[in-house]
Amino acid sequence: MENKDLLSLYCFLAFLVCTISAFPEKGKWTFEINQDIQYVGVSKSMFAGTNITFKIQNCRSESTSLSISWKLRHSPCWQEYLGLENIETGTGQLHGYYMNPHAIPEWLNYSAADYVASQESIAACDGSTISMPPVLQSMEKKHTKQATSVEQPQYVIPKEGVYLFVITIKPKSPLGGNHSYTAQILIDMKSDFGYLSVIDWPLLPFYGTMCGLYTVMGVLWLVVSLCRLKDILRIQMWIGAVLFLGMLEMAVYLAEYESLNKTGELTAAAHYSAELLSCAKRSLARILVLIASMGFGIVKPRLGAMLQRIVGVGVVYMVLSAVETYLILVQPKNDRSRNIYAASFLLALLDAAICFWIFLSLVQTTRTLRLRRNTVKLSLYNHFTHTLIFAVASSLIFMLWSIYYHRMDTCLKDWKELWLDEAFWKLLFSLLLLVIMILWRPTNNNQRYAFTPLLDSGDETEEDDVMVNENLGMKMRVNRASRANTPSPRTSRDGPSGSIEDDLKWVEENIPSSMVESGLPLLDSEEEIMTTRFELSKMQ
């Protein structure tokens, strides 16, 4: 009952902490407008000193002029501008913010909003590029002052924060004239750090560091594996595959954020590729931890049909994570549709079930190693178990922290910490993978971790009276039937009673008491023995 409660708690927390995020915030926007579009708006978290420039180009009309003005509004709450439409044809949220910039939504708990507004500018729609003069004004002042130079940006952000930039364009023509026109609006927001927003910028050095870390880990693993190529274990090949996917994932993320910071344009294909690689790496990582916890190549030579089930679970996890990622990316940032919740809940449920399966397999594997008294392998799995316990405990603590500070607050003012919701899980997994690499690293004594089944001798040689089995950690007598009629020197001296005492003493010294209490089979199955014999015959 306790395990089920822990499973339900982990599933619930994993579902709540699921980050509803979309693409990174861009730095450049291009919108096609006409006479039906009255408002164009974009929101972004910007550094102090960010330059905002916009211009209208390719304006085509017979006799229409354009009335252009804009307003910039600052909000302390991260959630306020999420999900706003970029283009409006009539009354909507952009219209409300432009007409009443002082108004504060009822569901937000802050006292006042700062804003700055430009004066109306009239420009002819004759195909030339239209650029408004800059506004030199702080957020605290009530009046605007227009500068004479048109080479400067329209506005420079005075302080770091979340901003909404709204432009209104209205056609003007002589009475009875044609109001139709078409044009393009180009908006550019760039700081001294580049085009990345305040929230997304910490991910650029983070992915650079992680890419370097995975590269170093991958090169070291490749060199060590090539040096021990003859003694390589199968599970070490799985570790190499996870390392390769992790290195490729971080490289794609780094290239995407570097390109976005330099150009301001987001490449959707690169972001989809990075997310797909992330889904594949997470699925392969769960397969790796599962087969490691079951003792693949260490306690068991192969998993048989169980390996197919594990791979099937990994494929299902990859499909669900890919579906969830796609639904999140194509929806607005604050979308709460049932499709996203359903995909997130199924993924959290499957993740919790995999976690439960891993610890159940670890309990069985360590129990078998204790019964066999294999201290080397048991020490390895004890370290592995402690690492997984630390990972789960860290995950639960971070989930509770993220839910309390990032999900329960209706007005999130510590929004600069949101990048941790994405970075924490990648960092935790890299640390877990590093521990797995250290525990299962290729060494000269690689075969001491490999599976070594107990084989029957197949002949009736009488060279030794005692055979020591490394896996079982116990002594077994052989060919006692052939020597039953041969009296020992002790028997000839002490008689029958001495022989019985010797037998009892041998049993007490060499057979563990846990073997009597436990009903688990200690010897390898007949199938494993036959399989090992078949492999040995192929090597001869």
Side-chain angles (χ1 to χ4, degrees), residues 238 283-284 286-288 290-291 294 303-318 357:
W238 284 86
S283 303
L284 189 61
R286 280 154 179 78
I287 294 176
L288 171 64
L290 267 174
I291 63 176
M294 291 183 180
L303 298 178
M306 184 62 67
L307 182 60
Q308 299 177 0
R309 298 177 188 174
I310 296 175
V311 173
V313 170
V315 172
V316 172
Y317 184 90
M318 180 177 177
W357 192 5

Side-chain angles (χ1 to χ4, degrees), residues 67-126:
S67 171
I68 309 169
S69 60
W70 56 265
K71 288 184 180 180
L72 181 68
R73 186 178 185 274
H74 171 264
S75 174
C77 299
W78 161 252
Q79 302 96 323
E80 184 171 0
Y81 303 139
L82 296 181
L84 287 178
E85 296 292 337
N86 296 117
I87 295 177
E88 283 186 3
T89 58
T91 58
Q93 289 181 299
L94 291 180
H95 170 77
Y97 280 118
Y98 186 85
M99 299 304 296
N100 300 295
H102 284 298
I104 299 174
E106 297 180 355
W107 53 279
L108 296 175
N109 55 354
Y110 65 94
S111 58
D114 301 327
Y115 77 98
V116 62
S118 71
Q119 294 181 355
E120 182 182 12
S121 178
I122 306 297
C125 186
D126 55 2

